[in-house]
Amino acid sequence: KIPSHKNVEELKELEEMRSAARLLREGGLVAFPTETVYGLGADATKEEASSAIFAAKGRPKDNPLIVHIGQKKQLTQITREIPPVAHQLLHRFCPGPLTLVLKHNGSLAQTVTAGLDTVAVRIPSHPVALALLQLADIPIAAPSANRSGRPSPTTADHVWSDLAGKIDILLDSGPTSVGVESTVVDVTGKVPVLLRPGGITIEELKKAIGKIEMDPGLLNQKRKPRSPGMKYKHYAPQGELWLVQGEEKSMIRKMRQLAEQALARGKKVGILTTEEHQDQFRGLFVVSCGRRKEPASVAIRLYDALRRFDEEKVEIIYAESFPQYGLFHSIMNRLWKAAGGRVIKS
Ligand code: TXA
Ligand code: MG
């Protein structure tokens, strides 16, 4: 347990933090909180250490990892060039839930970049993450600390239930504050490209840098996404999740109808909805993932909500959908992937 009220400098004095940093330098695996989700960290310059991440997660080898650093100046130690737009983004959003894809300089382990000539880098803003990265003072490869394919972990309990026995240390600092992963932007071309929507919204990005393109693979199911990880079935609960779309009232009515039909077929049914609507599903297994009026509250609770259905061994889940703006954009991206593209229009 790491106290959540301490600042970076205070955290750097803690023996738990120091031994976790030492372990990273010796090639160990450390799970730690970031503001988005918990990460599973290892030395990004050592093949063996980074390979251990893939083994612990059961992650496909062609899916590169995000490299985490504790200070902007470390960027020049791993990248070949930093274009002006990257400086703009760094200035505006880092530390924070933004990941930049840049050309690397060959100093990282091949497993980390999956053999690509680019690397995804981010500076998290969570004090525990920053303190750990600054103490270790090496680039740390860290994907989300879940078993591959499962919802990302927003609490230490989630990490524990996926990876107990497979990691050396788990730094528990309570639930994370953003709840969805970082936004990934490729800045190696003429125009920046959004590869994964996340904690920083498209609206915020546009305001900061003007022009940004969307990876066509994000919008079109038939195109291969440019971010290797985006092609996998992801964030998925074990039950079959259906995303129900449409105008609010008819969407809720449709969800109720579908649930009743599935119940009649003898299925164990779950409903994923919001506080505004949860009372309309009496008698069913209902999980509320925050307030529809507050996208940030939904982001924080989304992955925990998805995990609840597994705990209850729910076989079929009907999920409320959200309008495409701000954080809802990232939330809908995750729900759509959790649904494996199963959408019902009301
Ligand atoms: O919020 C986050 O980003 C969390 C925390 C722990 O920092 N990390 C995280 O990592 O979500 P991971 O490994 O679960 O997701 C990394 C994403 C994947 O979709 C991967 O394919 C993409 O970033 N990625 C990594 N390197 C890339 C590269 N060189 N080019 C394009 N996409 C890349
Ligand atoms: Mg992940």
Side-chain angles (χ1 to χ4, degrees):
K1 272 259 182 223
I2 306 292
S4 53
H5 59 273
K6 288 194 188 295
N7 67 32
V8 176
E9 291 313 314
E10 289 165 342
L11 286 164
K12 280 156 98 172
E13 299 298 322
L14 296 180
E15 193 41 51
E16 294 93 323
M17 295 296 300
R18 288 170 174 271
S19 53
R22 211 176 304 126
L23 213 118
L24 282 172
R25 292 186 70 91
E26 289 163 0
L29 283 182
V30 174
F32 61 95
T34 81
E35 70 281 18
T36 58
V37 301
Y38 274 73
L40 177 58
D43 185 344
T45 64
K46 287 204 190 99
E47 282 304 335
E48 220 177 306
S50 315
S51 296
I53 292 178
F54 287 84
K57 279 184 58 94
R59 181 173 174 115
K61 282 275 182 179
D62 67 345
N63 190 5
L65 308 176
I66 294 178
V67 173
H68 295 61
I69 52 176
Q71 295 178 75
K72 283 181 193 166
K73 67 173 187 223
Q74 283 174 286
L75 259 184
T76 52
Q77 293 162 18
I78 56 176
T79 60
R80 227 169 54 199
E81 56 192 351
I82 305 169
V85 70
H87 281 293
Q88 267 176 291
L89 289 169
L90 281 163
H91 179 71
R92 175 71 181 80
F93 299 111
C94 301
L98 180 71
T99 295
L100 297 179
V101 173
L102 294 155
K103 290 257 159 57
H104 68 71
N105 65 5
S107 59
L108 298 166
Q110 287 252 349
T111 23
V112 170
T113 57
L116 300 173
D117 62 353
T118 54
V119 60
V121 197
R122 97 176 188 93
I123 308 173
S125 61
H126 195 296
V128 172
L130 276 179
L132 179 69
L133 293 166
Q134 288 172 14
L135 284 172
D137 199 28
I138 45 172
I140 298 297
S144 48
N146 51 292
R147 285 284 299 170
S148 204
R150 297 215 63 205
S152 292
T154 52
T155 67
D157 280 349
H158 296 163
V159 179
W160 196 247
S161 73
D162 277 18
L163 299 175
K166 296 194 165 76
I167 51 183
D168 297 308
I169 294 186
L170 164 56
L171 299 174
D172 177 356
S173 185
T176 61
S177 61
V178 178
V180 292
E181 298 88 340
S182 62
T183 301
V184 181
V185 178
D186 184 337
V187 287
T188 59
K190 272 208 193 87
V191 179
V193 182
L194 180 85
L195 302 186
R196 177 177 76 178
I200 300 288
T201 65
I202 302 169
E203 291 89 341
E204 287 174 291
L205 289 171
K206 281 194 175 147
K207 215 166 143 193
I209 54 170
K211 207 168 167 185
I212 181 158
E213 281 171 6
M214 305 273 269
D215 174 11
L218 273 180
L219 307 168
N220 185 336
Q221 296 179 46
K222 293 191 190 81
R223 295 276 297 261
K224 193 174 150 203
R226 269 171 54 182
S227 175
M230 297 297 279
K231 72 173 177 286
Y232 294 105
K233 185 173 180 241
H234 240 99
Y235 319 108
Q238 271 132 36
E240 192 177 288
L241 188 142
W242 289 83
L243 191 50
V244 183
Q245 295 184 324
E247 177 276 321
E248 223 173 308
K249 271 210 184 99
S250 68
M251 169 177 76
I252 298 300
R253 205 179 313 124
K254 185 80 184 175
M255 285 167 70
R256 213 165 40 214
Q257 214 177 60
L258 288 163
E260 277 155 17
Q261 288 164 3
L263 267 183
R265 293 198 305 274
K267 294 278 184 200
K268 172 118 197 181
V269 184
I271 293 285
L272 179 58
T273 186
T274 47
E275 277 175 24
E276 287 90 335
H277 298 305
Q278 61 181 353
D279 292 343
Q280 302 190 44
F281 299 99
R282 286 188 192 283
L284 292 165
F285 179 68
V286 180
V287 180
S288 161
C289 61
R291 291 168 298 280
R292 203 176 163 84
K293 279 198 212 75
E294 279 175 63
S297 75
V298 178
I300 288 170
R301 283 163 63 176
L302 181 67
Y303 290 144
D304 183 68
L306 290 175
R307 282 173 179 259
R308 294 281 309 281
F309 295 110
D310 288 349
E311 286 159 19
E312 295 295 319
K313 303 214 164 22
V314 169
E315 294 167 296
I316 189 158
I317 303 150
Y318 296 105
E320 179 173 332
S321 51
F322 300 95
Q324 295 273 2
Y325 68 85
L327 270 180
F328 278 146
H329 190 93
S330 314
I331 290 161
M332 281 299 281
N333 169 270
R334 306 304 192 267
L335 277 174
W336 189 78
K337 286 170 81 57
R342 281 183 294 258
V343 170
I344 296 174
K345 297 213 158 54
S346 63

